[in-house]
Amino acid sequence: MVSVKVKFRPSSIEGKMGTLYFQVIQHRITRIQKTRYKLYPEEWDTRSLSIILPTENPERHQLLSGIQKSIRQDLARFDECLSILAHNKIDYSADDIVETFRKRCLSGTLNAFAHKLISQMEEQGRFRTGETYKSALESFMRFRSGQEILLEEINQDIIKAYETYLKQQHLTLNTISFYMRI
């Protein structure tokens, strides 16, 4: 029986955010899949293994709701990976589960795609183009509060929200055009 749970690792520095991770157990062997999701200890319920959404801070509530949604999507991806493994293999390990998740899910992220392009540009000696891509990626990841996004999840609504975010940052039209074009 396979177990995939979301766990919280608090920071060793008091007052700093800790990190969420996935714990995968198969045949009593435990493996961990790190995430980029960060939150404060008081925002995590250790009994129910879930995020506590604050009512007094709407911005933080929205951010944590987004993390909560991403966790659900990641757990669904783990289920997809388990189905694939069950279909292709008679017996599989916790390592197989985590590896399948990484290959199938994390390789299709914007970060993975962009870093691959940036590396290709640098290999071709096109350093300025690589820097341009890096700058655009950093801007988009600030918009996403560091949350990863799958390429298949990028749609017209997300791009419009990104454009609105750029305008709210009081950037010039040329800068907004630059980021949107990339």
Side-chain angles (χ1 to χ4, degrees), residues 30-143:
T30 303
R31 294 294 179 256
I32 290 175
Q33 173 58 52
K34 295 179 183 178
T35 73
R36 294 176 181 232
Y37 312 134
K38 298 199 175 284
L39 44 102
Y40 293 101
E42 60 271 11
E43 297 171 333
W44 182 251
D45 184 350
T46 53
R47 276 185 262 159
S48 66
L49 300 177
S50 63
I51 295 173
I52 300 169
L53 298 173
T55 54
E56 68 283 347
N57 186 341
E59 287 179 13
R60 192 72 184 153
H61 185 279
Q62 183 179 5
L63 176 71
L64 293 175
S65 293
I67 291 173
Q68 203 170 40
K69 180 181 176 188
S70 295
I71 288 171
R72 283 193 299 269
Q73 290 171 341
D74 287 342
L75 287 170
R77 287 187 195 101
F78 267 109
D79 285 341
E80 290 172 14
C81 294
L82 290 170
S83 296
I84 290 166
L85 286 168
H87 183 350
N88 294 334
K89 287 185 162 186
I90 295 171
D91 193 27
Y92 49 88
S93 67
D95 288 320
D96 292 331
I97 297 166
V98 171
E99 185 63 27
T100 302
F101 178 81
R102 287 178 183 161
K103 282 182 183 175
R104 184 165 169 77
C105 301
L106 298 181
S107 64
T109 63
L110 177 63
N111 249 332
F113 175 73
H115 285 293
K116 184 176 178 183
L117 281 178
I118 292 165
S119 294
Q120 288 174 349
M121 294 299 119
E122 290 171 352
E123 287 171 8
Q124 295 171 3
R126 299 171 62 191
F127 298 104
R128 193 69 185 123
T129 304
E131 289 173 9
T132 300
Y133 288 172
K134 202 177 294 183
S135 176
L137 176 64
E138 288 170 359
S139 169
F140 191 79
M141 292 312 287
R142 278 192 303 275
F143 158 68

Side-chain angles (χ1 to χ4, degrees), residues 63 70 140-149 153 158:
L63 176 71
S70 295
F140 191 79
M141 292 312 287
R142 278 192 303 275
F143 158 68
R144 298 272 306 159
S145 300
Q147 283 185 312
E148 190 55 88
I149 186 168
E153 294 174 346
I158 289 177

Side-chain angles (χ1 to χ4, degrees), residues 171-182:
L171 300 175
T172 66
L173 291 176
N174 281 345
T175 303
I176 293 170
S177 174
F178 166 81
Y179 285 132
M180 295 301 293
R181 188 172 58 247
I182 306 266

